[in-house]
Amino acid sequence: MEKTLKPLFEQDPYAQHLGIELVSLDKGVAQTRVTVTEQHLNFNGACHGGLIFSLADYAFAAASNSHGQVAVGINVHMSYLAPGHVGQTLTCTATEIKKTPRLAVYEMTVKNEENDIVARMEGMVYRKKEVHESVQI
């Protein structure tokens, strides 16, 4: 199923616009990556928090939808722990913590190339009854 869904998730126009790549996908787990460019900086010269949030949110979306059931975010909490800089590659890993028929909780960790934690996110999704069209059950 993941092989069918990965191309669907890779079509995300916002992630493409930001240069975010879906590196890997498995049931309940996803990894995303982006290299920080000049266009990703805020007025202080550091990586914009919106890019870091989007990197984690994309991993969250992929992991939470990886079972084939449509899942939509209903709550997230983000903590920024270190800045990102031009030229750095940031990687986010999303991991499923708990899944019920209607709700699921995920933890996302964003790290830089030195394996330092840049940000942490926790998110909850509502799992709808619908399945993704590309999934054949």
Side-chain angles (χ1 to χ4, degrees):
M1 172 176 24
E2 296 77 27
K3 294 185 190 311
T4 307
L5 288 172
K6 191 169 188 268
L8 172 69
F9 299 155
E10 289 173 331
Q11 294 174 23
D12 186 294
Y14 186 64
Q16 289 177 355
H17 173 73
L18 293 174
I20 300 173
E21 171 190 6
L22 180 58
V23 178
S24 63
L25 178 67
D26 204 346
K27 287 186 180 178
V29 181
Q31 189 172 70
T32 56
R33 175 174 55 210
V34 69
T35 299
V36 180
T37 68
E38 294 281 337
Q39 290 73 31
H40 295 136
L41 301 182
N42 62 24
F43 59 84
N44 286 320
C47 179
H48 196 287
L51 177 70
I52 297 169
F53 185 96
S54 295
L55 177 69
D57 187 57
Y58 187 35
F60 173 41
S64 63
N65 282 272
S66 64
H67 298 283
Q69 188 173 352
V70 175
V72 294
I74 58 173
N75 186 47
V76 294
H77 173 78
M78 185 89 175
S79 296
Y80 298 93
L81 306 172
H85 302 286
V86 169
Q88 280 187 330
T89 298
L90 303 179
T91 303
C92 179
T93 302
T95 307
E96 190 172 82
I97 303 304
K98 173 77 174 174
K99 178 174 66 81
T100 70
R102 290 286 168 241
L103 298 174
V105 175
Y106 294 81
E107 287 183 351
M108 284 63 66
T109 303
V110 177
K111 294 183 178 182
N112 63 22
E113 295 155 313
E114 291 79 38
N115 212 31
D116 297 323
I117 297 175
V118 173
R120 300 282 314 253
M121 176 190 270
E122 182 179 279
M124 180 180 286
V125 295
Y126 174 73
R127 303 180 73 229
K128 298 175 81 173
K129 293 177 184 174
E130 294 89 20
V131 296
H132 289 280
E133 290 179 17
S134 60
V135 178
Q136 298 173 2
I137 298 177

